[in-house]
């Protein structure tokens, strides 16, 4: 006699299942996938010296347990009634994700660029874990790189990670020292996948999620409406109304047509110190300078093609909303629209125009809009989101309205020091990003070991000469730097030497009084912290010593590199007066916090506790 099906047991098994559902925001990257627009991101890393492929395979195998999604695949709910789930792939094979090849002759930079473009153009297999690595040997003719070096092109679908979590994955794969670490194959952790859930389990889990929160959609809509009203009120009362869409509509450009399957890309490498000097000269952020450099290149590129619109191009600038303590790998980004002032000829005026907007909008958008956007993405009816993405592309709906923006420019701070892979130095890292119909150009800035690589990704139809555009980026940076130097020389004779007085001394005096009263905080955040206050021509170094019973805050001549906060005097004073937010300054890169992850977290929490007193 057949045994009865116990629905209670099935339901309990479904609810207790370890499989995780993707968010609405992540799903957008999945549903945007098309034959001409694979939605993966990639990095090209160049290793110095002859790295052995078998050793590399062992390194990847030994670290896979630290990256669970790299052995998981997406499992769709029947009839697409809900977003897919991440499940362990019972058929995972590392060899299916690693590809070994030799660079074609001549094995120079141009050949590597062509090979990387071809690899990046190919979509990932959506039936398997969504990543692949190409191990490219035989780099012999690239200047300043030893003969026989290796390039690694890694592709990961955007549904898995965003830019900042991608940097976190580098910390897992790469080392921070040059020590060669032999890997014992017998010590590689065995993969023991959970069984695949059946269709009934998936439907039950999705149904439970809806029953648990049946008012998810109306509540999100209500919260969004409130946020919208507040944002409209703030815009009416601020200078930001000068940049309203009604006055400055987004122009239609050559970057906003249909894309072809073949990707093109080029990269410009700039010195971080030189870019940082430009930032200090203007009082803005690194991001402002990068936007201005890209704007100069865009203006020249379109002028030469006689395609420059009268209205300024609008850039979509993604900003991370990831919490300091967040170690997850899912997408946590919001978007801000910035006019790039491509209608202004003078580079310095163009930079000022961009700075004015970012100063007004960046953190305000983050605090008001980011979480709302995330909630909205999760509230979109499930099958409808998939259908909408496909209809938008299939029927060229982009042609029926102006684009919301013309180009995406993203800036991801990477490792500041050298990385290694089993003793081999990582010479350079470049990021490639997906383009879709209507948005055929994306520019990604990535900082690593004292350099900023600004990589342009497009397609053969939109920008067949991406290498030329990269040259314009370098020339735009040189032009901006030259004008800054000239301006400084003109002003030099007019300046009188005046001993600068710090505005932010009151910050340290008040902090000392506060900590003397709050003995519990002193114990909680025990340690030594340093703040370097930049006052332009000079700087002051302060030490906060919380290792003794008596709180000691004083000026010092030595900075402990374990925990250092670098900030301009005016910004620290504005922080103290609550005219700026700590997270705002961090997002805009107008403060730099270095040290171990634990110390940075402690110091950040200490400062926030003081500011929220």
């Amino acid at each position: 006699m057949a045994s009865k099906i116990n629905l209670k047991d099935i339901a309990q098994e479904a609810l207790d299942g370890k499989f995780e559902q993707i968010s609405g925001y992540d799903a957008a990257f999945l549903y945007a996938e098309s034959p001409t627009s694979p939605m993966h991101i990639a990095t090209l890393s160049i290793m110095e010296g002859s790295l052995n492929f078998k050793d590399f395979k062992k390194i990847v195998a030994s670290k896979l347990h630290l990256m669970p999604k790299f052995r998981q695949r997406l499992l769709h709910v029947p009839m697409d009634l809900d977003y897919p789930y991440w499940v362990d792939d019972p058929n995972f094979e590392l060899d299916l994700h690693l590809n070994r090849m030799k660079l074609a002759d001549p094995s120079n930079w141009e050949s590597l660029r062509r090979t990387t473009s071809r690899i990046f153009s190919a979509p990932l297999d959506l039936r398997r874990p969504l990543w692949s690595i190409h191990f490219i040997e035989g780099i012999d003719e690239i200047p300043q790189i030893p003969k026989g070096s290796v390039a690694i092109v890694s592709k990961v679908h955007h549904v898995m990670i965003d830019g900042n979590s991608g940097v976190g994955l580098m910390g897992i794969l790469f080392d921070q020292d040059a020590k060669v670490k032999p890997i014992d194959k017998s010590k590689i952790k065995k993969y023991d996948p959970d069984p695949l859930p059946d269709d009934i389990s998936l439907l039950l889990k999705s149904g439970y999620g809806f029953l648990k929160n049946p008012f998810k959609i109306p509540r999100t809509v209500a919260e969004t409406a409130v946020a919208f009203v507040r944002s409209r009120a703030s815009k009416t009362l601020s200078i930001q109304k000068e940049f309203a869409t009604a006055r400055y509509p987004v122009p239609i450009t050559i970057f906003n047509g249909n894309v072809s399957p073949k990707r093109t890309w080029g990269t410009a490498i700039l010195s971080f110190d030189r870019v940082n000097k430009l930032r200090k000269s203007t009082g803005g952020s690194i991001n402002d300078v990068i936007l201005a450099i890209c704007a100069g290149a865009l203006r020249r590129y379109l002028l030469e093609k006689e395609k420059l619109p009268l209205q300024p191009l609008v850039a979509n600038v993604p900003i991370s909303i990831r919490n300091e303590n967040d170690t997850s790998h899912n997408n946590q980004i919001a978007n801000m629209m910035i006019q790039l002032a491509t209608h202004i000829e003078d580079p310095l005026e163009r930079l000022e125009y961009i700075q004015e907007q970012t100063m007004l909008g960046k953190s305000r958008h983050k605090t008001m809009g980011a979480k709302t956007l995330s909630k909205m993405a999760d509230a979109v009816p499930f099958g409808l989101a998939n259908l909408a993405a496909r209809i938008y592309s299939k029927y060229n709906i982009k042609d029926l309205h102006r684009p919301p923006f013309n180009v995406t420019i993203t800036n991801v701070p990477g490792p500041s020091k050298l990385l290694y892979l089993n003793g081999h130095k990582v010479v350079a890292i470049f990021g490639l990003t997906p383009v879709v119909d209507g948005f055929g150009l994306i520019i990604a800035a990535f900082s690593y070991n004292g350099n900023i690589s600004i990589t342009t990704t497009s397609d053969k139809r939109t920008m067949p000469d991406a290498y030329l555009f990269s040259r314009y980026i370098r020339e735009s940076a040189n032009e901006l730097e030259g004008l800054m130097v000239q301006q400084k020389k003109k002003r030099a004779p007019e300046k009188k030497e005046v001993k600068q007085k710090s505005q932010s001394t009151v910050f340290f005096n008040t902090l000392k009084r506060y900590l003397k009263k709050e003995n519990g905080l002193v114990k909680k955040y025990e340690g030594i912290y340093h703040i370097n206050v930049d006052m332009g021509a000079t700087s002051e170094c302060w030490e906060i010593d919380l290792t003794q019973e008596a709180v000691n805050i004083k000026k010092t001549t030595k900075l402990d590199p374990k925990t250092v906060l670098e900030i301009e005097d005016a910004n620290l004073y504005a922080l103290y007066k609550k005219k700026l937010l700590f997270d705002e300054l961090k997002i805009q890169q107008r403060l730099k916090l270095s040290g171990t992850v634990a110390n940075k977290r402690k110091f950040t929490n200490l400062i926030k506790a003081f500011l929220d007193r």
Side-chain angles (χ1 to χ4, degrees), residues 321-495:
I321 57 172
R322 186 175 299 279
N323 186 281
E324 178 85 16
N325 305 325
D326 193 342
T327 57
S328 63
H329 294 151
N330 60 316
N331 289 280
Q332 296 190 38
I333 49 178
N335 303 80
M336 180 179 63
M337 304 304 156
I338 294 291
Q339 287 183 310
L340 291 176
T342 47
H343 61 305
I344 297 175
E345 185 176 356
D346 183 87
L348 293 177
E349 289 181 21
R350 197 183 304 131
L351 175 58
E352 288 175 6
Y353 188 99
I354 290 169
Q355 282 178 326
E356 188 174 3
Q357 292 183 78
T358 55
M359 284 285 289
L360 288 168
K362 200 162 191 177
S363 72
R364 300 294 179 260
H365 179 90
K366 172 184 178 287
T367 52
M368 188 282 295
K371 290 182 180 177
T372 304
L373 286 171
S374 180
K375 287 179 184 177
M376 283 183 69
D378 281 330
V380 174
F382 320 114
L384 186 62
N386 193 345
L387 182 64
R390 297 185 187 281
I391 289 175
Y392 187 90
S393 179
K394 183 176 179 180
Y395 294 102
N396 287 329
I397 292 176
K398 63 174 178 53
D399 295 337
L400 304 179
H401 62 85
R402 284 184 175 272
F405 55 86
N406 303 114
V407 55
T408 295
I409 303 177
T410 177
N411 178 25
V412 179
S416 58
K417 296 179 181 178
L418 272 172
L419 295 176
Y420 299 86
L421 187 59
N422 202 33
H424 294 267
K425 183 166 70 176
V426 181
V427 180
I429 302 172
F430 309 101
L432 286 81
T433 39
V435 294
V436 297
D437 286 342
F439 311 104
L441 177 62
I442 182 165
I443 304 170
F446 181 80
S447 58
Y448 168 63
N449 188 37
N451 288 321
I452 299 176
S453 62
I454 302 181
T455 303
T456 304
T457 309
S458 187
D459 67 282
K460 194 173 181 181
R461 182 181 296 157
T462 303
M463 186 183 271
D465 47 2
Y467 62 91
L468 178 65
F469 181 72
S470 292
R471 193 181 84 198
Y472 291 167
I473 287 178
R474 288 191 293 271
E475 292 174 359
S476 174
N478 291 337
E479 182 185 27
L480 189 60
E481 185 179 50
L483 289 170
M484 287 284 188
V485 171
Q486 286 179 21
Q487 191 181 65
K488 198 172 181 181
K489 285 180 179 177
K490 286 179 183 177
R491 291 177 178 174
E494 300 170 9
K495 287 186 177 179

Side-chain angles (χ1 to χ4, degrees), residues 71-73 87-97 127-129 191 193-194 196:
R71 288 192 287 207
Q72 293 179 332
R73 66 179 178 88
V87 295
D88 288 346
D89 183 3
N91 302 312
F92 175 79
E93 288 289 346
L94 181 58
D95 286 333
L96 296 176
H97 297 269
R127 299 166 300 176
R128 293 195 177 111
Y191 176 48
D194 290 326
L196 285 175

Side-chain angles (χ1 to χ4, degrees), residues 178-195:
K179 292 179 182 176
V180 177
K181 302 177 180 80
I183 297 170
D184 185 349
K185 201 172 180 180
S186 63
K187 291 185 179 179
I188 294 175
K189 291 194 176 182
K190 187 181 176 183
Y191 176 48
D192 185 21
D194 290 326

